[in-house]
Amino acid sequence: TYHPTHYGEAEEVLQISEHILTECEALKTACPQEDLSAFISLIYFPACGTANLMKMWILTGRNHLYAKQNRVAANRLADEVQACIEADEALVNEYHTVDGGKYYGFGLSEHIGFVYWNDEDNKLPIRMYITPANRPRMIVSRVEDTKYATGFWWNGRKPQVWQDFLRPDVSQVAFDVACGSKCPISWHIETDCPWMQFSCTGGTVAENQRVTLTIDRSQITGKAAGQFAVVNEHIQEGWKPTVALPWKHSTTLPSGMFPAAALRCSSRMAAWAPR
């Protein structure tokens, strides 16, 4: 339904779905008994049923992405998808008991994973499980990108270039330090750039650690570039993405110019705009 990384849309919709589920449960508890039938049939079942399915598909997409990267977290997500499938069955069963079975049968039709306009060949989500690696494996990946690195020595020879900060309206980038092995991973960040600030600079991760990189533009004059390394302490060398910084941005533009940096698009597309 939503790509697991692009623009954070999946995470935003997931949070909304979780909020709907929590609110509806609280309202059902507070609802007077004489109004419960109407509440469940008109509000609770449609809202929770939809939110639960949205949650299920978003978690499925994230499960597939993490499984392809061999993250340990993929297995937990697979279990959460199964929990959503069971929650859907529970919602239908509850709906069928309202008013002594007044609405029985409304939820018996297939309503998940349609391939065609009807329920022919409809499919429930495929859940992916991984077998963690025996050797200590660190996986580093941008939150809004499917690319990843495992942190072994050859990654340092081909550093990644993150061009997000070429946009003057971007000052933060989030990335994950994840575990892909049976044992937890000890890691730390190394950099000699004072204008790079990290929400976390090291630790031990058994599943996933979200890190936010923030740049301080007040310490940058002219064009700048820098590097940082996410070091797997179980091997000799770390993974070294290169972070590119722009020329100091001017807030004034000539008449008729459109600020390409304001576009929410790839840097390749932004390069087409007038300079």
Side-chain angles (χ1 to χ4, degrees):
T1 308
Y2 292 92
H3 192 278
T5 63
H6 293 169
Y7 305 117
E9 289 178 326
E11 180 62 29
E12 181 179 352
V13 175
L14 179 61
Q15 291 178 6
I16 293 172
S17 299
E18 294 277 15
H19 176 71
I20 291 172
L21 292 168
T22 302
E23 283 292 300
C24 283
E25 285 296 333
L27 290 171
K28 187 176 75 168
T29 302
C31 184
Q33 189 64 34
E34 62 271 20
D35 298 327
L36 192 59
S37 172
F39 176 76
I40 290 177
S41 62
L42 296 176
I43 299 175
Y44 180 81
F45 179 74
C48 287
T50 302
N52 180 66
L53 292 185
M54 291 297 295
K55 176 182 176 180
M56 178 190 68
W57 285 115
I58 290 172
L59 293 179
T60 299
R62 191 173 295 176
N63 164 247
H64 292 182
L65 173 66
Y66 286 6
K68 291 176 182 177
Q69 298 176 349
N70 210 65
R71 294 198 199 187
V72 173
N75 295 346
R76 173 182 53 80
L77 288 168
D79 292 339
E80 291 183 12
V81 172
Q82 178 61 30
C84 289
I85 295 173
E86 295 172 1
D88 180 79
E89 295 176 355
L91 285 167
V92 170
N93 292 335
E94 181 183 29
Y95 188 37
H96 285 169
T97 64
V98 172
D99 280 348
K102 178 179 180 179
Y103 303 105
Y104 182 81
F106 276 48
L108 293 180
S109 61
E110 300 287 1
H111 51 274
I112 298 176
F114 276 44
V115 181
Y116 306 108
W117 66 270
N118 57 10
D119 63 5
E120 183 178 355
D121 289 340
N122 78 296
K123 301 177 180 66
L124 269 67
I126 296 174
R127 294 173 294 138
M128 294 184 177
Y129 288 87
I130 65 102
T131 301
N134 292 320
R135 295 179 61 192
R137 180 178 296 177
M138 178 184 70
I139 300 162
V140 180
S141 176
R142 287 271 309 282
V143 172
E144 293 194 358
D145 200 338
T146 58
K147 296 178 182 178
Y148 67 97
T150 53
F152 283 98
W153 63 270
W154 51 81
N155 293 134
R157 297 186 178 182
K158 294 182 179 180
Q160 293 191 12
V161 178
W162 295 356
Q163 301 190 36
D164 304 66
F165 301 124
L166 293 174
R167 286 177 45 168
D169 60 328
V170 175
S171 61
Q172 289 187 338
V173 166
F175 60 94
D176 288 335
V177 180
C179 178
S181 54
K182 294 178 180 179
C183 60
I185 299 298
S186 296
W187 63 279
H188 68 271
I189 290 175
E190 294 179 353
T191 184
D192 58 358
C193 297
W195 36 265
M196 290 187 186
Q197 300 171 355
F198 299 88
S199 60
C200 180
T201 57
T204 301
V205 57
E207 188 175 283
N208 192 76
Q209 174 71 57
R210 180 66 51 84
V211 182
T212 301
L213 163 62
T214 305
I215 63 166
D216 183 359
R217 294 183 183 274
S218 65
Q219 298 189 45
I220 303 171
T221 57
K223 190 175 182 179
Q227 287 189 337
F228 71 91
V230 183
V231 180
N232 183 344
E233 295 181 355
H234 303 271
I235 59 177
Q236 291 184 351
E237 295 188 34
W239 177 70
K240 298 180 179 180
T242 298
V243 181
L245 275 295
W247 288 93
K248 195 160 185 175
H249 178 62
S250 172
T251 57
T252 59
L253 292 172
S255 176
M257 293 292 290
F258 186 81
L263 290 172
R264 193 175 191 182
C265 61
S266 69
S267 58
R268 179 170 53 186
M269 292 176 64
W272 296 344
R275 303 230 174 168

